[in-house]
Amino acid sequence: MAKRELSIEKAFENLDGIIEKLEDENTKLSDSIALYSKGVKLLNDCKQSLDRIEKQMIILDDDEEEKDDF
């Protein structure tokens, strides 16, 4: 079964949850390390998603500019 990619909105929700847990003084150090690692991965996934979206927007904008030139 193929791994489903999280929506960027859901990834940010998960990041918010991780931050809350990391800020909780009752979170154990070992749990904090695991949460931090998961957060870094989610953050990198979000950055890649935003980069893809930005590239798509640039392409669409360039296409629209070409149409306006005619």
Side-chain angles (χ1 to χ4, degrees):
M1 186 172 172
K3 181 180 171 184
R4 255 185 38 189
E5 195 172 307
L6 282 179
S7 71
I8 195 160
E9 295 84 4
K10 185 65 178 169
F12 278 119
E13 274 182 42
N14 290 349
L15 279 170
D16 283 339
I18 288 171
I19 291 168
E20 285 179 21
K21 290 176 186 173
L22 286 171
E23 290 176 340
D24 184 346
E25 62 187 40
N26 295 317
T27 302
K28 295 178 185 178
L29 180 59
S30 59
D31 293 337
S32 293
I33 293 168
L35 287 166
Y36 182 82
S37 176
K38 184 176 180 180
V40 169
K41 183 186 178 322
L42 277 171
L43 191 59
N44 287 333
D45 291 346
C46 288
K47 183 181 178 326
Q48 288 176 357
S49 292
L50 289 171
D51 287 345
R52 279 194 306 272
I53 291 167
E54 182 181 20
K55 287 176 185 175
Q56 290 172 344
M57 291 175 68
I58 289 169
I59 290 169
L60 290 171
D61 190 46
D62 288 347
D63 288 347
E64 193 61 35
E65 286 179 8
E66 287 178 13
K67 288 179 185 176
D68 289 343
D69 288 341
F70 288 109

